[in-house]
Amino acid sequence: GGMECFLHALALHPSHAEMVEQGLDHLRALVCLAPEMPEKVVALGGVKSVLAAMQLNLGRPIVQECGCSILSDLAWESEVYQAAIVDANGIQVVLRTLNAHLPLPAVQAIACALVQGLACDSVANRTQFGASGAVELIAKALKKYPEVENLQAFGCAALQSIACDHEKNIEEITKWQGPGLAQS
């Protein structure tokens, strides 16, 4: 079908900006709305393809936003999908997105959603986020955009997941004057 063709094209041409932007936007809707799509996307190598497109299009906010949206939906779906994202360098990619797009609260919000999805069920992922500067990046976004509700919600959820049962991360969040969620 169409999704298989797009994922194949994405794997072959991840730097074709216009195709990537339009395709990821459509794929985002499919993953979000069709219950059978997450499994198909993962089985067809979509995680690696989405991450490759994000890496090659770091300066294109719509690619980052759509990519994080797709991957966060997958991460929330299952721990197996979380592992597939992490194994394909997903933590490093989302950190680059957070760092590159501080001026864009919409990108920050959905990147925080992906951080939350990857950190919530994995001590190893929480440790990696804590050691990689995620707390600082999220804290900066939260402080810069106190009026952006979805960023505040996803950012606080990400910090809460990073802090869960992880004393060192709680200390880091407290250092950045993160929300009281670090203590909850």
Side-chain angles (χ1 to χ4, degrees):
M3 186 189 61
E4 290 87 349
C5 289
F6 167 69
L7 287 174
H8 182 71
L10 183 60
L12 293 176
H13 307 286
S15 60
H16 188 282
E18 195 171 298
M19 185 268 307
V20 169
E21 286 179 2
Q22 291 175 6
L24 288 180
D25 191 40
H26 291 298
L27 186 59
R28 169 174 54 177
L30 287 172
V31 168
C32 182
L33 299 174
E36 71 280 3
M37 284 300 143
E39 184 177 355
K40 283 186 178 182
V41 168
V42 174
L44 294 169
V47 168
K48 288 182 181 178
S49 295
V50 169
L51 287 165
M54 291 174 69
Q55 288 177 314
L56 291 171
N57 294 278
L58 183 59
R60 301 186 76 84
I62 191 69
V63 171
Q64 301 306 307
E65 186 176 349
C66 289
C68 284
S69 179
I70 293 163
L71 296 172
S72 65
D73 281 345
L74 294 176
W76 293 332
E77 185 82 20
S78 97
E79 291 181 37
V80 172
Y81 301 163
Q82 291 170 15
I85 295 165
V86 171
D87 290 346
N89 287 332
I91 289 177
Q92 293 79 11
V93 172
V94 73
L95 290 172
R96 283 189 212 115
T97 298
L98 283 165
N99 192 47
H101 294 283
L102 183 58
L104 300 169
V107 176
Q108 293 290 309
I110 201 66
C112 285
L114 177 53
V115 171
Q116 191 278 328
L118 294 175
C120 66
D121 294 320
S122 170
V123 173
N125 294 352
R126 287 193 288 274
T127 300
Q128 191 171 349
F129 277 121
S132 300
V135 170
E136 178 182 359
L137 292 169
I138 294 167
K140 284 180 179 179
L142 290 173
K143 288 177 184 181
K144 185 172 177 78
Y145 302 106
E147 73 287 353
V148 180
E149 292 178 11
N150 69 336
L151 173 54
Q152 293 296 313
F154 286 131
C156 288
L159 289 177
Q160 186 174 26
S161 290
I162 290 170
C164 184
D165 295 326
H166 203 292
E167 199 60 42
K168 188 173 182 181
N169 288 350
I170 291 171
E171 291 172 14
E172 182 70 10
I173 291 167
T174 304
K175 176 180 123 185
W176 285 98
Q177 299 175 346
L181 292 175
Q183 301 300 326
S184 63

